[in-house]
Structures are given as C-alpha cells and as structure tokens.
Amino acid sequence: MKRLMTNSARALVAVATAAVSTACATRAPNTAATPLPEMGTGVVGPAGASALTMSRDVHWARNSAEHRAVYLEVYRAAGERLATLISGHSRGSWGVIVDADETTLDNSEYQRSRISSGGTFDAASWSAWVNQGRATALPGAPEFVALVHQLGGKVIIVTNRDEAQCPVTRANLSAAAITADLVLCKGLASDKNPRFESVQRGTAASGFPALVVLEWIGDNIEDFPLATQNIRSGSDEAFAKFGDTYFVLPNAMYGSWEKNPRR
C-alpha cells in the first residue's frame, strides 16, 4: 500500500511537471515586453490599423480633444485681438497673412497614410496628396477667415507648396471654406520673408494693393517675419509679439524644429 501510494504520488508529480512545462512553453513568446510605437516619425498606419502603428504626434493631431481645443482657442484669440487692431484702418487697406498646411489645411491624413508605403515624407507622395485636394479645414480657420472679411480685411495665404501646386491649393482652400484673397506659393525660394514684404509693398500680384498686415498666423516659427528656430534661445521678450500680432499653432508632426539638437 505504501509503495502504491508512492507510485501514485510520483505519477501526479510527473503530470504536474508536464503541465507546467507545457504552460510555460505556451506563454513564453508573450513574456517579452511589447515594443512601443516609434516616436516622432510622422509615419502612421492605414485605416483600421492597430493603434500601435500610429505615432503619438499624428495620433494627437488627429484624435485628441486638446488639438481641437487649442486651434479653436488660438483662432478665437486672434479674432478678438483683430477687432482691436483694425482701429484706424479703412476697409480694404489691411490684411492678415496665414499659412496653409497645418494652419488652415489639415494634412494629417497624408501622415496617417504613409505607413502603408513603408516610408516617411517624400516629394512624390506629397505631390499626389496635394493634387487630390482632399485636405480639410482645421478647427476655427473658416470662422476666422470669415471674420477677417466681415471686418473689412483681406486674407493672404503664404505657403511653401510648389508654384505648380497653387491652382489645386486654391481650389482645396475654397472647398474647405477658406476664402483667400491671394495665395502665394513657394516659387524658387522657401524663405517667406520676400513674400511677406511683397504683400506690404503692393508687389505681390498685379492689381493687388499694398496692405498693412495686422496679424500673422502659422504653425512654424518661419511663418513669422524674420523668425527662425534661433529665437528659442532668446529671452521671453523675443516672443513679445506672440499673442499680440503673431499667433502660433501646434504642429508636432513636422517642421523646422526637427533640425534642432536633441538634448
């Protein structure tokens, strides 16, 4: 009897050991930590893709309440400030300069779609996206543009899209309820300052009058006169115009900031 019980116990131990071994073998592949999504690439997944394929910057731009809130907030603030700045300026004598991409037009769908091609930004895919004219308006942009016209001003879009893309860009802006009085594309130079000056001097386009520019709105520091990433090392006074005549919108997907040192 004692020997029988010993054999039974040994059998139970053997069964238990086999079960544990099997369970461990089954679970082993899942014990490694799940890789985190790639950060800051601006490359995201196609429709229906796992959330892990979408970088945090694009996910935030497309899906966060905060993104919508801050765009509405900035455009409302710009509109409220404009109502004061127009004092003493006659209708048609002034205007605002506004950027296109990620300021008035939302291209996050392009960023989201790039993962299906296995790459980041490239000129060919970007050109194809622009030519589709499918970018939608960003929150607050149509209302701000309508307010500028209501108050008697003109809206000038200064964008670094190529000159050949200007006609489709104008059509896209119009379809998104962004009624621009003038759209100035890149031409031969990405530096926007000469185009800013041409608006103020009245040389931007034939028959287009010289304007007093009351506000600039953009998502890149270079959307503002003579400003570059170097301003980040300046004092707070260097940013004095922001919230007064300059209004900046957040774009964590791409921009001139990408070349700054990582510290």
Side-chain angles (χ1 to χ4, degrees), residues 239-256:
F239 296 85
K241 291 185 178 181
F242 288 89
D244 182 29
T245 56
Y246 297 175
F247 293 86
V248 68
L249 292 156
N251 179 8
M253 296 187 293
Y254 63 88
S256 60

Side-chain angles (χ1 to χ4, degrees), residues 27-107:
R27 289 195 299 266
N30 296 324
T31 57
T34 302
L36 292 175
E38 188 172 359
M39 302 293 291
T41 61
V43 183
V44 295
S50 166
L52 287 180
T53 66
M54 181 178 287
S55 59
R56 289 186 179 184
D57 49 2
V58 179
H59 180 38
W60 184 84
R62 289 181 62 81
N63 303 310
S64 73
E66 292 86 352
H67 181 270
R68 183 178 180 186
V70 75
Y71 270 73
L72 291 171
E73 177 183 337
V74 169
Y75 273 118
R76 287 169 182 164
E80 291 173 2
R81 179 60 179 146
L82 190 58
T84 300
L85 293 173
I86 63 173
S87 178
H89 298 285
S90 60
R91 296 181 68 87
S93 68
W94 61 272
V96 298
I97 290 180
V98 188
D99 176 51
D101 300 311
E102 274 49 75
T103 296
T104 53
L105 292 179
D106 183 354
N107 298 290

Side-chain angles (χ1 to χ4, degrees), residues 183-219:
V183 178
L184 299 177
C185 290
K186 182 171 65 174
L188 298 176
S190 59
D191 182 0
K192 292 185 174 183
N193 287 289
R195 282 170 281 167
F196 295 159
E197 293 170 4
S198 72
V199 171
Q200 294 168 304
R201 293 174 179 171
T203 59
S206 178
F208 200 82
L211 297 177
V212 177
V213 179
L214 298 182
E215 289 183 349
W216 279 262
I217 303 178
D219 65 291

Side-chain angles (χ1 to χ4, degrees), residues 43 110-111 114 117-129 165:
V43 183
Y110 166 76
Q111 301 289 339
R114 287 301 295 144
S117 300
T120 55
F121 173 89
D122 66 73
S125 64
W126 171 249
S127 181
W129 163 256
Q165 298 170 336

